[in-house]
Amino acid sequence: MITVENVNKSFGKLRALQDISGNFPKGTVTVVCGPSGSGKSTLIRTLNRLEEIDSGRITIDGRDIYEPNINLDQFRMSLGFVFQQFNLFPHLSVLDNITLAPRRLKGIARDEAEQMASDLLRRVKLSGKEHEYPESLSGGQAQRVAIVRCLAMQPKIMLFDEPTSALDPEMISEVLDVMGDLASEGMTMVCVTHEMGFARSVANSIWFLEDGQKHGEFPVDDFFQGTTDPRISLFLSHLNRE
Amino acid sequence: MLEIINDYWLFFLIGQYPHGPLGGLAGTLLLATICLILALPCSILIAIGRTGKNRFWRGVTFVIVYVMRGTPFLMIIFWAHFLGPIIFGTSIGAFWVMVIALVLYESAYLAEVIRAGIESLPYGQTEAAKAMGFSRTKTMILIVLPQVMYNSFPALLSQFVSIIKETSLGFVIGVHEFTFAASQVNSILLVKPVEIYLILGLTFFIVCFTFTSAARWLERRIGKSQGVLPA
């Protein structure tokens, strides 16, 4: 579904992504991991062009997303992007945060949008929070609202950029549970995360990045058991120590 | 002094109205309010130009802001006063000349207030909007400006106080406002300038102090609500 071919990206002298290639197949969950500064966030941000690539090609459903006449706003509507810092709109209620895009971008009537928002909130166990404002939510709740805000646009693909890194430990699982549910429903997902428990139980494959290079792509079981790559063993041992 | 207030309070309050244009304190507040209402949309446009990507508009708005901020306000009043009839082909009256001068001048200052508001908004806000498929215009209207106007409200109120004080300069071109009313009372009484201008000063102080206090109170409230916002 998403194909990345020889993608390069630099920030000044720093080569953030070097010759990255691979596939994120439809209906699968791919976890992108690696040490800090490995380029994993940059990679996921290039997939909806929050970051522009310098060279290479990225296609989604066969369509080159860097072709000059692409309608970028239209294209982004089909992808959900979840940020580390949630980025809810503080001046809008939970309900308005979720319904703003469906109403303003897809022209869905308010009643219908609000009904859909309530249904989605129930799914992530946040019924009754409709009229609260982001400032009164906990981190875990805010991130679940952010996920629902994306789902309200009925995206084909969900991208997660370290969705639990800004959360207190006790709130991480409530977000991961929602992501797990989403995966079991067949959503195509790309997740940048350090949550190896999540990777082990939900992901189909794992990409390992280091210094802007892709050091391989592994089926989940291989990654946790069989790899002989010393860099991956080191990375896992660091994570286990935390 | 109480005698003067007793005899002339209505004149201080509304000027010659209804036998002439509305003036006095009411004239001052009317002038300031009209100016704020007209200057606000201008300043929003300037602020958007200043923070936008288009180099041409960034340049134009930069020049507007720096020319206006680098010129004494009295000079702008004179420009509007002498240039206005040439541009419009007819005299538009001192009140509207003053409105034009104030809007020109204050748009530049208000634009800087709003620009600061736009720039202080966390980048994640526009980025989230972008990722959801909002165009730049929709992002500005639906997400950025509502937050900026709310956060900047105390600063805008403080700027309103400046506008109220600046209206007194309309005196030099004969605008019917509070200072003009005071000077008229002074020309009637002739021998009580200290008392008259004390009344003028005290009233200005009370009005402005009220607004500044309100601004400070709002600032604390808004600051408090922002303290717990997620980044």
Side-chain angles (χ1 to χ4, degrees), chain A:
Chain A
M1 172 166 245
I2 309 180
T3 310
V4 179
E5 294 167 68
N6 305 108
V7 163
N8 285 286
K9 166 81 187 173
S10 298
F11 296 106
K13 275 186 184 158
L14 176 76
R15 295 192 62 192
L17 297 176
Q18 300 178 38
D19 239 8
I20 306 276
S21 295
N23 284 307
F24 301 103
K26 191 179 169 72
T28 66
V29 177
T30 308
V31 161
V32 180
C33 66
S36 336
S38 58
K40 48 194 193 307
S41 277
T42 309
L43 175 66
I44 199 168
R45 288 164 61 85
T46 61
L47 299 181
N48 74 344
R49 291 187 59 178
L50 280 181
E51 217 65 78
E52 302 279 307
I53 58 175
D54 297 335
S55 66
R57 215 167 108 90
I58 297 176
T59 56
I60 294 184
D61 284 340
R63 182 159 189 214
D64 185 345
I65 65 167
Y66 282 84
E67 76 179 43
N69 57 4
I70 190 169
N71 182 335
L72 204 52
D73 294 331
Q74 195 84 39
F75 154 69
R76 285 187 178 130
M77 282 162 62
S78 64
L79 305 181
F81 196 102
V82 177
F83 296 87
Q84 185 177 347
Q85 299 292 346
F86 334 132
N87 295 342
L88 293 179
F89 304 130
H91 63 302
L92 299 177
S93 67
V94 166
L95 201 59
D96 288 338
N97 260 285
I98 299 168
T99 57
L100 186 70
R103 283 171 44 220
R104 298 297 182 139
L105 299 178
K106 282 186 165 174
I108 292 175
R110 183 186 278 273
D111 294 351
E112 197 184 328
E114 290 186 348
Q115 184 59 48
M116 178 173 62
S118 294
D119 291 345
L120 286 167
L121 283 172
R122 192 168 329 117
R123 267 174 58 186
V124 299
K125 303 189 180 68
L126 286 176
S127 284
K129 296 282 182 192
E130 282 85 348
H131 300 290
E132 293 197 13
Y133 280 78
E135 66 180 38
S136 66
L137 300 177
S138 71
Q141 292 171 337
Q143 192 60 297
R144 281 182 283 158
V145 170
I147 293 173
V148 164
R149 182 172 69 171
C150 294
L151 294 179
M153 291 297 279
Q154 294 163 326
K156 294 185 295 188
I157 300 167
M158 286 287 286
L159 308 172
F160 295 86
D161 186 7
E162 304 210 25
T164 58
S165 300
L167 298 179
D168 293 333
E170 68 270 23
M171 291 171 183
I172 290 176
S173 64
E174 61 193 53
V175 171
L176 293 180
D177 287 348
V178 169
M179 291 167 65
D181 289 347
L182 211 52
S184 63
E185 287 160 23
M187 175 66 78
T188 307
M189 290 164 57
V190 181
C191 316
V192 171
T193 181
H194 290 298
E195 293 300 327
M196 289 300 125
F198 169 80
R200 199 193 288 256
S201 58
V202 176
N204 300 94
S205 64
I206 296 184
W207 287 27
F208 184 76
L209 263 59
E210 191 171 39
D211 297 328
Q213 286 169 329
K214 185 179 167 192
H215 279 298
E217 178 180 344
F218 309 88
V220 175
D221 296 338
D222 293 6
F223 185 79
F224 288 104
Q225 291 155 15
T227 60
T228 49
D229 191 321
R231 278 174 301 227
I232 294 174
S233 312
L234 186 68
F235 173 71
L236 287 175
S237 72
H238 277 302
L239 278 186
N240 289 336
R241 219 181 298 155
E242 273 172 14

Side-chain angles (χ1 to χ4, degrees), chain B residues 64-231:
Chain B
I64 293 174
V65 167
Y66 276 81
V67 167
M68 285 302 152
R69 297 212 311 169
T71 311
F73 182 47
L74 197 55
M75 205 64 75
I76 293 169
I77 297 175
F78 283 142
W79 278 357
H81 183 60
F82 294 114
L83 214 64
I86 297 172
I87 295 171
F88 295 108
T90 167
S91 172
I92 54 168
F95 183 85
W96 291 104
V97 166
M98 192 61 190
V99 168
I100 290 172
L102 267 172
V103 168
L104 282 174
Y105 190 68
E106 279 303 325
S107 293
Y109 281 90
L110 289 170
E112 289 298 275
V113 170
I114 293 168
R115 180 177 71 99
I118 292 175
E119 285 174 351
S120 66
L121 210 63
Y123 183 62
Q125 291 291 306
T126 43
E127 196 163 60
K130 195 170 162 186
M132 288 162 81
F134 285 100
S135 64
R136 283 174 57 81
T137 314
K138 279 185 177 152
T139 303
M140 194 46 97
I141 293 171
L142 295 171
I143 289 143
V144 176
L145 285 179
Q147 294 188 58
V148 167
M149 296 317 282
Y150 176 76
N151 296 345
S152 312
F153 193 72
L156 294 175
L157 205 55
S158 302
Q159 204 59 37
F160 184 63
V161 171
S162 298
I163 300 175
I164 291 173
K165 290 188 283 185
E166 279 154 8
T167 56
S168 63
L169 281 167
F171 171 72
V172 297
I173 55 167
V175 179
H176 289 265
E177 42 72 56
F178 196 29
T179 313
F180 188 79
S183 76
Q184 280 184 311
V185 173
N186 187 38
S187 5
I188 297 166
L189 296 178
L190 290 173
V191 290
K192 302 270 187 186
V194 174
E195 289 87 340
I196 289 166
Y197 287 110
L198 196 62
I199 293 171
L200 179 72
L202 279 175
T203 315
F204 260 123
F205 176 77
I206 291 167
V207 170
C208 294
F209 185 73
T210 309
F211 279 112
T212 343
S213 305
R216 211 172 325 133
W217 181 76
L218 280 168
E219 198 159 0
R220 271 202 306 271
R221 256 188 73 126
I222 290 175
K224 227 182 263 174
S225 82
Q226 275 180 333
V228 290
L229 285 185

